């Protein structure tokens, strides 16, 4: 005997559906993209005329960060990588190279040690498996290659006060459908958050040497508090955004 279910067969949207939604933000703030690009330009130096450096912007989103970085990296080739087809369509309007790839075992379409540097801007906080992601990034980087990673800081100066008041920290989310218990109105799909110490330890344990950790401001801080947010950058452990430079060992 068969029965017919009376419940809806419509599946609720999952992570892939969330990131393929054109309404979901896929770009980081331009000022911190510039700061990250300057850090990378300083690390790479001038491009060689016979061998331009290959820089992968992994999780390139709509290509804004790669397009912002390109003028600081003359002579180097910047390639955007994302698994969202919608993001790639937008990225190809801003940068000459944008390809599909995933941060799983062998999921990036590049040979081992092919890249001189990887930009990894505001991506790691969205990942289910950040360990596998850093393993794959390490695979495609040459020995001594540079990783430029940015991510929100769980211990940002205002989050410390919010937690004391029993308020959910900024950048953290408990749902993909709506904001609950914290300031802000935009759902961006953050799954993991790091303090400065945790980020250093995690990246070092993944086969990288941490060279520098810097702070950057967050564009979403209310205007009256932005001067405080800029001051907090002097101590990365208190800054809104963590900018980490590491080298592949």
């Amino acid at each position: 005997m068969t029965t017919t279910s009376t419940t809806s067969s419509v599946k609720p949207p999952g992570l892939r559906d969330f990131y393929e939604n054109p309404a979901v933000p896929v770009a980081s703030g331009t000022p911190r993209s510039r700061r990250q690009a300057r850090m990378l330009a300083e690390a790479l130096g001038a491009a060689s005329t016979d061998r331009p450096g290959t820089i992968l912007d992994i999780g390139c989103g709509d290509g804004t960060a790669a397009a912002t970085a390109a003028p600081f990296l003359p002579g180097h080739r910047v390639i955007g990588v994302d698994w969202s087809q919608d993001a790639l369509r937008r990225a190809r309007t801003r940068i000459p190279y944008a390809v599909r790839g995933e941060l799983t075992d062998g999921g990036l379409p590049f040979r081992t040690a092919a890249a001189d540097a990887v930009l990894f801007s505001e991506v790691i906080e969205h990942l289910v498996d950040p360990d596998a992601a850093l393993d794959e990034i390490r695979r495609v980087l040459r020995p001594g290659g540079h990783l430029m990673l940015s991510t929100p800081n769980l211990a940002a100066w205002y989050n410390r006060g919010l937690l004391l008041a029993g308020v959910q920290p900024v950048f953290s989310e408990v749902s993909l459908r709506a904001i609950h218990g914290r300031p802000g109105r935009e759902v961006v799909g953050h799954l993991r958050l790091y303090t400065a110490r945790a980020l250093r330890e995690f990246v070092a344990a993944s086969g990288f040497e941490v060279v520098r950790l810097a702070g950057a401001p967050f564009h979403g801080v209310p205007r009256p508090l932005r001067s405080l947010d800029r001051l907090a950058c002097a101590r990365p452990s208190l800054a809104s955004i963590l900018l980490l430079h590491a080298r592949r060992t």
Side-chain angles (χ1 to χ4, degrees):
M1 180 173 134
T2 60
T3 59
T4 302
S5 172
T6 57
T7 59
S8 172
S9 61
V10 177
K11 191 176 178 181
L15 275 176
R16 285 189 177 272
D17 301 299
F18 178 81
Y19 289 115
E20 290 289 2
N21 181 350
V24 172
V26 290
S28 303
T30 300
R32 66 179 173 272
S33 294
R34 288 196 189 104
R35 185 167 186 179
Q36 197 172 33
R38 289 190 188 100
M39 288 171 65
L40 180 55
E42 182 181 337
L44 280 175
S48 169
T49 54
D50 59 336
R51 186 190 174 277
T54 297
I55 301 165
L56 308 180
D57 182 7
I58 297 177
C60 67
D62 65 6
T64 299
T68 300
F72 296 92
L73 302 161
H76 296 290
R77 180 175 57 172
V78 181
I79 302 172
V81 185
D82 210 291
W83 62 253
S84 166
Q85 296 289 5
D86 177 72
L88 288 171
R89 279 192 292 271
R90 287 185 270 173
R92 287 172 184 141
T93 68
R94 293 181 170 91
I95 54 178
Y97 308 105
V99 299
R100 193 176 187 280
E102 299 203 27
L103 284 164
T104 53
D105 185 24
L108 294 175
F110 305 97
R111 69 181 187 277
T112 297
D116 297 282
V118 164
L119 285 169
F120 202 42
S121 304
E122 323 285 303
V123 178
I124 199 168
E125 64 272 15
H126 298 270
L127 300 180
V128 173
D129 190 352
D131 301 275
L134 286 195
D135 287 347
E136 182 65 357
I137 287 172
R138 190 173 186 277
R139 180 187 71 80
V140 299
L141 272 174
R142 63 168 173 79
H146 303 276
L147 170 64
M148 292 289 176
L149 182 157
S150 65
T151 191
N153 182 10
L154 173 61
W157 61 277
Y158 40 80
N159 277 347
R160 299 180 186 217
L162 290 173
L163 275 170
L164 284 173
V167 178
Q168 186 81 10
V170 175
F171 308 124
S172 66
E173 295 181 332
V174 299
S175 170
L176 292 178
R177 300 177 184 177
I179 295 298
H180 300 288
R182 73 156 172 85
R185 290 173 292 180
E186 196 171 63
V187 178
V188 291
H190 291 175
L191 304 180
R192 298 180 183 274
L193 289 176
Y194 300 79
T195 64
R197 178 177 175 176
L199 186 65
R200 277 182 177 275
E201 291 184 5
F202 173 57
V203 171
S206 301
F208 294 85
E209 176 192 359
V210 176
V211 177
R212 181 185 175 194
L213 185 67
F218 174 47
H219 64 273
V221 169
R223 190 174 296 276
L225 299 176
R226 288 180 186 174
S227 59
L228 284 175
D229 197 39
R230 288 191 294 271
L231 284 172
C233 294
R235 287 191 64 188
S237 62
L238 295 174
S240 287
I241 306 295
L242 301 171
L243 302 179
L244 182 138
H245 172 205
R247 299 190 72 172
R248 182 199 185 279
T249 56

